[in-house]
Amino acid sequence: MATPQAMENVVCPFCSLACDDLVVEPEGKRLRLLRPACPLAEREFARDVPEAVGPLIEGAPASLEEAVARAAAILARARLPLFAGLGTDVAGMRAVLTLAERTGGIVDHAGSRGLMANIRTMQDGGWVTTTLAEVRNRADLVLFVGTDTADVTPRFVERCLAPSETLFGPIRRELVYLGDGLEPARDLDARITALPCAADDLAQALLALRALLAGRRLGVQTIGALPVAALAELAQKLTAARYPVIVWAAGELPGESPDLLVGTLAALIKDLNVKGRCAGLPLAGPDDIIGVNQVCTWQTGVPLRSGFMAGVPDHDPLRWDAGTLVASGAVDALLWLSSLRDQPVPDTGMPTIVLLRPGNTLPRPVEVVIPVGTPGLDHSGSVYRTDSVVSLPVRALRDTGLPGAAEVLRRIGAGLAPSRAA
């Protein structure tokens, strides 16, 4: 029996770092991560593919042709369809937009809460951000706000901060963690400081930090349990550093309005650039949310949470929130796409079409279920990195016979009546 051949330089599509240094080998229809260590990649590459899997119509087995025809009929009858979830690659999102434009629908990603906080901040006042390469090669002080990155990008510290040799010579870093319940990095050649701060106090702590940087004296000794003296010391470090970087993951920020916190961070970074240098690094969530938003922006001129009811793109980050639309009953059909991880499918009574990777569970039998392949495992494609500057190719690593989401969506579009497709 032939020995399984290890595959090198594999791109991982399961978080927004899109690490391109993985080595995996096949084990039947599963894949085993040989190196490097990453709990997220290890789990997702090893995920089982059920032996017998196929489309369903209202819970009953159906052919792909039947399922596609039923999906097309649902979209043709809908007055306002919603295309959501959107865990897909670039090709999948291009196909989603084609359908949404043709049917007058709305598009929103499952993780857009954090994305919208970042976008609204950039739209309202601009910001100064950097790239992963700049962080790796230049950042001597990194302030983590509200995140330790372990959940959103498990290898961020290893890939960007652990290296002490850079393109410009050796570097000694300092890491500061500001937030609640954060786990600072370990076994790192860096000075590490933890500043515990309750979620409810985080906004006030950031405002206090801005005030201290401006030379103002505060009339309090603590912000919650956080000593103001610790914030004053942090202000001095930020001012003295050659290239400080502030890192956050908007999807992990507390409160109903994370855009307010992101706006404060953007203002803090601007303050530091008046006399020195500082940059931000917003870490994106999973499911290729950056790639999905990039496609939406370059094809329509506007980002996600946009509708095509009037024949032109209409971007509204509040009105076109998928959760609000489903809860209010404002939409009358849902197409949910989840090909990169098991996003929970909304439990709604409206006609629902689900394109998902096999093994995902549903809250109820829906009108149409079509299993699709995972980009970077079952078919090739491309995904975007969290800093938006790099699109990385992912390749097929196994043969499960599952179609890609883009192929299925194109077939659904071909089944629309000409009057609806016009």
Side-chain angles (χ1 to χ4, degrees):
M1 180 180 296
T3 302
Q5 183 67 41
M7 295 170 281
E8 299 183 349
N9 301 318
V10 171
V11 175
C12 174
F14 297 114
C15 93
S16 60
L17 281 187
C19 298
D20 59 356
D21 60 344
L22 276 63
V23 179
V24 301
E25 70 176 12
E27 288 185 337
K29 290 187 177 181
R30 301 172 62 192
L31 295 162
R32 184 162 70 95
L33 177 66
L34 299 180
R35 60 183 182 273
C38 175
L40 174 61
E42 182 177 7
R43 181 181 72 244
E44 296 297 341
F45 276 95
R47 191 173 183 275
D48 283 323
V49 179
E51 287 296 327
V53 61
L56 303 172
I57 296 179
E58 296 181 354
S63 68
L64 179 58
E65 291 74 17
E66 292 169 332
V68 164
R70 181 66 176 273
I74 290 172
L75 293 177
R77 287 195 300 267
R79 291 176 298 172
L80 185 57
L82 171 64
F83 298 81
L86 305 188
T88 188
D89 62 349
V90 167
M93 186 57 191
R94 289 172 67 96
V96 166
L97 281 174
T98 297
L99 266 184
E101 290 176 314
R102 293 173 64 184
T103 58
I106 297 169
V107 294
D108 188 24
H109 194 282
S112 61
R113 172 185 177 272
L115 177 73
M116 288 301 116
N118 288 333
I119 287 177
R120 292 185 69 180
T121 296
M122 183 171 56
Q123 290 173 332
D124 290 345
W127 61 6
V128 180
T129 58
T130 189
T131 66
L132 298 180
E134 283 283 282
V135 172
R136 178 186 175 111
N137 287 291
R138 296 185 184 275
D140 56 338
L141 172 63
V142 180
L143 170 60
F144 297 86
V145 177
T147 185
D148 54 23
T149 74
D151 289 335
V152 65
T153 50
R155 296 184 62 206
F156 172 73
V157 171
E158 171 206 339
R159 299 210 73 193
C160 296
L161 302 180
S164 57
E165 288 295 329
T166 74
L167 292 176
F168 311 106
I171 191 169
R172 181 65 186 270
R173 308 184 200 270
E174 180 167 2
L175 313 184
V176 180
Y177 292 80
L178 175 65
D180 185 30
L182 305 184
E183 292 289 338
R186 299 178 180 177
D187 302 323
L188 206 64
D189 183 20
R191 181 178 178 184
I192 297 175
T193 303
L195 301 178
C197 179
D200 291 342
D201 297 324
L202 190 56
Q204 190 175 357
L206 292 172
L207 291 171
L209 182 59
R210 288 193 67 197
L212 292 166
L213 284 166
R216 297 189 179 94
R217 297 180 62 182
L218 303 184
V220 297
Q221 299 299 313
T222 61
I223 304 294
L226 178 63
V228 168
L231 287 174
E233 183 179 354
L234 174 59
Q236 293 175 353
K237 291 178 179 178
L238 287 167
T239 303
R242 295 192 309 275
Y243 197 123
V245 172
I246 299 177
V247 175
W248 70 90
E252 295 184 345
L253 292 176
E256 296 183 359
S257 302
D259 54 300
L260 299 180
L261 276 172
V262 176
T264 302
L265 289 168
L268 172 62
I269 292 166
K270 291 177 185 177
D271 293 344
L272 289 163
N273 275 285
V274 172
K275 294 183 179 179
R277 186 178 193 180
C278 183
L281 183 71
L283 294 176
D287 297 307
D288 193 30
I289 188 169
I290 294 297
V292 166
N293 188 64
Q294 292 282 74
V295 175
C296 188
T297 304
W298 82 52
Q299 288 201 191
T300 70
V302 291
L304 285 167
R305 289 195 180 170
S306 293
F308 304 91
M309 298 74 67
V312 293
D314 175 27
H315 169 64
D316 193 318
L318 299 179
R319 291 177 67 198
W320 306 144
D321 167 54
T324 301
L325 292 168
V326 170
S328 66
V331 290
D332 59 351
L334 171 66
L335 188 150
W336 186 267
L337 171 54
S338 177
S339 66
L340 283 166
R341 64 173 183 146
D342 294 339
Q343 299 172 338
V345 180
D347 188 1
T348 171
M350 75 180 73
T352 300
I353 305 157
V354 178
L355 277 59
L356 80 177
R357 61 181 193 171
N360 197 352
T361 57
L362 300 175
R364 66 174 179 89
V366 299
E367 283 68 20
V368 179
V369 176
I370 302 177
V372 294
T374 297
L377 274 70
D378 304 312
H379 63 85
S380 60
S382 58
V383 297
Y384 267 81
R385 208 171 65 181
T386 188
D387 52 7
S388 305
V389 298
V390 175
S391 172
L392 288 146
V394 295
R395 64 184 194 259
L397 305 177
R398 64 188 182 189
D399 182 11
T400 58
L402 293 167
E407 176 189 345
V408 172
L409 292 166
R410 284 193 291 266
R411 294 182 66 170
I412 292 173
L416 289 173
S419 59
R420 185 63 172 173

